[in-house]
Amino acid sequence: MASTVPAGSNTYSRKNPFLAELTRHDRLTRPDSLKDTRHFVINLAESGLTYVPGDSLGAFGRNPPALVDEVIALLGFDPQANVTDAKGQPSTLRETLSRDYTLNRANRKVIGGLSERIPQGEQRNHLMEIADNFEVLNHYIDSRDYVDILREFHEVRFESPAAFLAQLSPIVPRLYSIASSLAAHPAEAHLCISVVRYETHGRPKKGLASGFFADHAELHVKNIPVYVQESRTFRLPEDSATDIIMCGPGTGVAPFRAFLEQRTIEGAAGRNWLIFGEQHRATDFLYGDELLDYQKKGKLHRLDLAFSRDQEFKIYVQQRMIENGRELWTWLQNGAYFYVCGDAKRMAKDVDIALHDVIAGQGNLTPTEAADYVKAMKKEKRYQRDVY
């Protein structure tokens, strides 16, 4: 049972998460979208947890019951077998597999555990071909979970539940940018989550945390371990009269929803510009009604949209930046902060290139001078990124 702590004291942490309850669960994308993005409201009442826009909520997922049951069945153990859990406490095999260990993605360690126990024969030869080649092993592990592996190497028998648990990796928290202002939603944290679903080796699979939130987290049940992860590098300007430019495609819009809520409540004099992108306006305009309402009320001074698949040629947020380069440069010259949130592998890099190009082109600067300008922005904390 979670204890009550004084308001404002962040007693709960990654090592000691608060068991929160889900109080709202809405689908943001429409049913005919190619994506499944959802809005979740987490109740933080009695936790003492506080946050400010830019912070993240760390959440521990739990494994799907059906996946846990199949792993146990393949192992041939009693689900209620007594074990010691990841924290050294007494538990059952089923409970600790549900709560403590990652099952949806295998690790390299299990291959070693299998090779120590597999009998001589074709399966052993196949397993050793995998284990002895680092590149082959990484490729093999990348698309498989423990059901896939235990099915393939069905001759292996672990001598005890503890022997199998020793091969596993602990569940680690997933950090989600908080999509709400605490001032607007007391004792709540809102999350914008894209549900990861895919199929490999003939079986449907899903992300650990996103699948848990979407499919298994029941409303009004305190079973979601959470804590607040403070950000020291993703913050609104101290001077609320400062303009801000927010670039957040997809779920990257999450912290900017919080920014808009906070700036509206504070009556910030600074202007707000959001550049948002997704696939289709009709199905994927996340928080579209809210954003348009902010725009109508004069709280969102510019809203540029990039729906990549609504026309013959794909359009992304970085292209909107370049198209509006003159205005972007004017805002920057007036001291605006520039924020980016979302995919680190491609989007954030493309946005960074576009930012350099706009500054060079509109400021009539050389590439080196533009790079120095961006470095100065970073030093002044006017260029901030929350990418993952």
Side-chain angles (χ1 to χ4, degrees):
M1 181 69 69
S3 59
T4 302
V5 296
S9 62
N10 290 349
T11 298
Y12 294 103
S13 63
R14 174 173 175 160
K15 292 184 177 180
N16 179 37
F18 173 68
L19 283 182
E21 63 178 327
L22 183 66
T23 58
R24 183 175 165 188
H25 175 179
D26 300 321
R27 181 160 179 167
L28 295 174
T29 48
R30 298 191 180 277
D32 48 346
S33 171
L34 296 175
K35 297 187 176 183
D36 182 1
T37 304
R38 308 193 186 191
H39 177 79
F40 298 94
V41 176
I42 309 297
N43 182 11
L44 300 179
E46 301 182 357
S47 71
L49 290 171
T50 60
Y51 63 88
V52 298
D55 288 342
S56 297
L57 193 75
F60 290 85
R62 296 181 187 269
N63 290 305
L67 178 61
V68 173
D69 290 341
E70 188 161 6
V71 168
I72 293 174
L74 288 166
L75 291 168
F77 293 131
D78 179 359
Q80 299 305 312
N82 293 324
V83 298
T84 300
D85 69 15
K87 294 183 178 180
Q89 300 300 312
S91 184
T92 66
L93 178 60
R94 191 175 194 278
E95 177 60 26
T96 197
L97 283 178
S98 299
R99 182 189 62 216
D100 298 326
Y101 297 99
T102 300
L103 295 183
N104 70 318
R105 285 187 176 275
N107 62 20
R108 290 191 295 270
K109 186 177 181 181
V110 74
I111 299 300
L114 291 170
S115 63
E116 292 172 0
R117 294 168 174 85
I118 195 165
Q120 295 291 337
E122 291 185 9
Q123 283 203 359
R124 179 178 179 80
N125 294 338
H126 176 45
L127 178 62
M128 298 315 295
E129 288 176 358
I130 297 169
D132 292 342
N133 187 312
F134 186 79
E135 188 173 326
V136 172
L137 175 57
N138 280 345
H139 179 74
Y140 179 84
I141 289 295
D142 186 57
S143 64
R144 287 170 170 82
D145 64 9
Y146 290 102
V147 169
D148 293 326
I149 293 172
L150 291 173
R151 281 183 177 180
E152 184 168 359
F153 298 105
H154 55 82
E155 294 180 0
V156 173
R157 286 292 177 266
F158 286 89
E159 58 274 20
S160 67
F164 178 70
L165 295 179
Q167 313 302 317
L168 306 182
S169 300
I171 287 176
V172 296
R174 175 70 161 84
L175 293 178
Y176 292 107
S177 301
I178 298 175
S180 56
S181 160
L182 196 59
H185 306 280
E188 290 182 354
H190 296 193
L191 304 180
C192 177
I193 298 177
S194 179
V195 184
V196 177
R197 300 188 193 277
Y198 58 101
E199 182 173 316
T200 60
H201 306 285
R203 295 176 49 243
K205 298 181 175 76
K206 54 191 171 187
L208 174 58
S210 66
F212 170 63
F213 271 105
D215 299 341
H216 305 290
E218 300 177 54
L219 290 175
H220 309 297
V221 177
K222 292 186 176 182
N223 70 341
I224 306 175
V226 302
Y227 65 97
V228 171
Q229 180 66 55
E230 179 184 357
S231 172
R232 300 183 185 276
T233 59
F234 202 73
R235 286 284 184 261
L236 281 167
E238 291 185 8
D239 183 356
S240 63
T242 302
D243 295 339
I244 63 173
I245 305 166
M246 304 164 283
C247 186
T251 57
V253 74
F256 303 137
R257 180 178 185 262
F259 281 14
L260 288 169
E261 288 184 343
Q262 186 72 24
R263 300 255 289 184
T264 298
I265 285 177
E266 292 178 353
R271 296 174 298 171
N272 305 313
W273 180 355
L274 175 65
I275 307 171
F276 172 78
E278 251 298 355
Q279 291 187 350
H280 298 286
R281 180 172 183 139
T283 58
D284 307 306
F285 193 0
L286 308 182
Y287 302 111
D289 290 342
E290 290 184 21
L291 297 175
L292 293 173
D293 188 56
Y294 277 123
Q295 187 180 39
K296 182 179 179 181
K297 292 177 178 177
K299 305 299 182 183
L300 182 55
H301 302 81
R302 281 197 65 116
L303 176 61
D304 285 285
L305 303 171
F307 293 105
S308 61
R309 302 187 185 183
D310 276 352
Q311 58 284 312
E312 184 178 356
F313 300 103
K314 292 182 180 179
I315 297 175
Y316 299 106
V317 289
Q318 61 268 24
Q319 289 161 275
R320 295 301 189 211
M321 290 171 58
I322 293 171
E323 291 171 0
N324 296 283
R326 180 177 297 179
E327 186 74 4
L328 182 59
W329 173 245
T330 300
W331 280 50
L332 293 177
Q333 285 290 83
N334 287 335
Y337 279 43
F338 186 82
Y339 298 90
V340 183
C341 182
D343 171 53
K345 292 182 180 179
R346 295 183 58 183
M347 182 278 297
K349 293 178 181 179
D350 291 340
V351 165
D352 187 73
I353 292 171
L355 180 63
H356 280 77
D357 289 347
V358 166
I359 290 170
Q362 297 298 325
N364 195 27
L365 303 176
T366 67
T368 300
E369 290 170 336
D372 289 340
Y373 188 99
V374 172
K375 288 178 183 177
M377 287 179 61
K378 291 179 178 178
K379 186 175 181 180
E380 296 165 4
K381 299 182 180 180
R382 291 177 49 221
Y383 180 17
Q384 301 183 24
R385 309 202 313 169
D386 178 11
V387 298
Y388 39 84

